Amino acid sequence: MQYFTTKTELVAYLSKITKKKTIGFVATMGALHKGHLSLIEESNKKCDITICSIFVNPTQFNTASDLANYPNTINTDLEKLEQLACDIVYAPAIEDLYENEEKAKEFDFGSLTTSMEGEFRPGHFIGMATIVEKLFNIIQPTIAFFGQKDLQQLQIVKALVKQMKSTIKIEGVSTIREENGLAKSSRNKLLSKNAKTEATLIYNCLNYCKNNKKKGIVELKHYITHQFEQHKNLKLEYAEIVALNTMQPIEGWQRENENAICISAYHSGVRLIDNIIL
Ligand code: AMP
């Protein structure tokens, strides 16, 4: 496995080896778990070369404390990637990707960014798009793999490549969960065992929606609010049923598999998000 900390070295290496080879790219912020690793596996299957970036992107965090508390496990991350036969890891310092004092670029993704994560994490998506665009320009992958766990992000990255007029293909990969249903997340490390068990309420509510679509959107949202009111350790931030193509709340169902129920909730100060396509 090749390990680079500067884009100059990475680009020099790629320019020598990538003639006619397909490049799969997985962007991560480290603290790797099975969810991330499933993206690497998908890339290994579909591309000749897999590149994983590990970079905790400051412009997509809205609070300094969230950024400061973000887990850093670079050594075990590298071991996991080596075991999976990831070809290249790019783990730069901030200075390699941002000029001094550089802020997020201004993007306009229309309705995709105004609801849910866009509403509760102002600036998050322009920060995310800023770094993804930089990484795409450096790596120029054939396919980039993103988790469906961050559904709104996935839809925005698809819009980003259109705006970039790029040929990069974006593939969404299904969410990997703990045995009890809780979506794998780097933030789960910050939860106690008991908190992880209680947090399965999120998945149970998503599943309830999947199995009870007939009840209609208003009743399903009411059900979720009621469930969270009964579980005082969990604080519901939002539960929205949205159209996949707009990421905006809907009042009536779109076609099958073109709707999603998305939840954000806090347990012991840790913010958790999850969704299911309906
Ligand atoms: P992050 O390190 O949180 O920025 O995530 C890097 C990539 O891994 C993103 O494309 C995420 O959507 C994806 N990812 C995170 N958690 C999961 C999961 N549980 N299952 C599948 N993909 C995931």
Side-chain angles (χ1 to χ4, degrees), residues 1 55 88 118-119 148 173 179 186 202 217-218 221 244 262 272 276:
M1 186 168 78
F55 180 68
I88 299 173
E119 182 183 345
Q148 190 199 300
V173 179
E179 258 173 48
S186 305
I202 299 171
I217 290 169
V218 173
K221 283 174 72 170
L244 266 193
C262 305
L272 301 165
I276 286 190

Side-chain angles (χ1 to χ4, degrees), residues 27-29 33 35-36 39 70 146-147 149-150 153 174-176 184:
T28 80
M29 297 203 297
H33 51 67
H36 299 115
L39 305 188
Y70 203 82
F146 285 81
K149 153 105 177 2
D150 299 285
Q153 166 173 286
S174 309
T175 303
I176 303 291
K184 296 255 184 202

Side-chain angles (χ1 to χ4, degrees), residues 124-137:
H124 168 66
F125 284 129
I126 57 164
M128 179 280 292
T130 300
I131 194 65
V132 171
E133 184 181 45
K134 283 176 190 278
L135 292 168
F136 281 176
N137 284 330

Side-chain angles (χ1 to χ4, degrees), residues 7-274:
K7 57 178 183 277
T8 315
E9 291 168 296
L10 172 65
V11 169
Y13 182 81
L14 289 176
S15 69
K16 279 188 229 136
I17 58 154
T18 56
K19 304 277 173 294
K20 297 218 176 89
K21 292 214 162 146
T22 53
I23 300 183
F25 173 49
V26 177
T28 80
M29 297 203 297
L32 301 183
H33 51 67
K34 288 195 175 132
H36 299 115
L37 301 182
S38 74
L39 305 188
I40 302 284
E41 282 170 338
E42 206 56 29
S43 173
N44 278 345
K45 264 188 239 156
K46 297 199 169 138
C47 299
D48 301 322
I49 291 173
T50 294
I51 304 183
C52 176
S53 65
I54 299 180
F55 180 68
V56 181
N57 175 37
T59 61
Q60 72 187 67
F61 283 81
N62 1 37
T63 66
S65 64
D66 194 20
L67 175 59
N69 289 334
Y70 203 82
N72 176 338
T73 58
I74 184 76
N75 292 333
T76 45
D77 289 350
L78 292 176
E79 279 168 25
K80 287 174 184 173
L81 292 170
E82 180 97 56
Q83 270 168 20
L84 276 189
C86 176
D87 299 286
I88 299 173
V89 180
Y90 172 49
I94 294 177
E95 301 71 49
D96 197 47
L97 289 169
Y98 286 101
E99 298 295 324
N100 208 5
E101 311 261 310
E102 183 182 345
K103 301 263 180 323
K105 188 174 153 183
E106 287 303 320
F107 286 96
D108 183 2
F109 297 111
S111 72
L112 294 177
T113 46
T114 53
S115 63
M116 305 188 290
E117 297 302 283
E119 182 183 345
F120 288 96
R121 300 186 70 189
H124 168 66
F125 284 129
I126 57 164
M128 179 280 292
T130 300
I131 194 65
V132 171
E133 184 181 45
K134 283 176 190 278
L135 292 168
F136 281 176
N137 284 330
I138 294 166
I139 293 167
Q140 301 186 14
T142 321
I143 311 179
F145 298 84
F146 285 81
Q148 190 199 300
K149 153 105 177 2
D150 299 285
L151 184 62
Q152 207 171 357
Q153 166 173 286
L154 172 62
Q155 301 304 75
I156 291 166
V157 172
K158 286 180 182 168
L160 171 68
V161 290
K162 276 196 195 140
Q163 288 187 12
M164 290 170 71
K165 298 191 173 38
S166 162
T167 57
I168 300 169
K169 200 173 156 227
I170 305 301
E171 280 216 12
V173 179
S174 309
T175 303
I176 303 291
R177 303 175 180 285
E178 309 276 356
E179 258 173 48
N180 64 12
L182 178 67
K184 296 255 184 202
S185 162
S186 305
R187 291 168 199 267
N188 293 358
K189 286 193 170 64
L190 307 171
L191 294 175
S192 69
K193 201 169 163 211
N194 187 40
K196 275 192 199 164
T197 307
E198 290 183 345
T200 57
L201 179 69
I202 299 171
Y203 179 64
N204 294 343
C205 285
L206 297 176
N207 238 343
Y208 183 87
C209 292
K210 177 125 192 118
N211 296 330
N212 292 279
K213 236 177 126 177
K214 282 196 305 292
K215 290 191 192 281
I217 290 169
V218 173
E219 196 176 324
L220 291 176
K221 283 174 72 170
H222 183 73
Y223 171 86
I224 295 173
T225 317
H226 185 64
Q227 289 297 310
F228 275 85
E229 278 165 5
Q230 291 177 321
H231 291 79
K232 293 294 174 210
N233 289 337
L234 278 152
K235 193 173 146 288
L236 182 65
E237 186 169 59
Y238 64 74
E240 290 292 3
I241 294 177
V242 297
L244 266 193
N245 62 345
T246 62
M247 287 285 117
Q248 288 296 313
I250 44 175
E251 288 175 3
W253 295 116
Q254 313 292 297
R255 278 184 300 186
E256 192 68 15
N257 294 324
E258 290 185 10
N259 318 268
I261 165 73
C262 305
I263 291 182
S264 161
Y266 282 87
H267 193 302
S268 13
V270 180
R271 189 169 185 276
L272 301 165
I273 60 167
D274 200 354

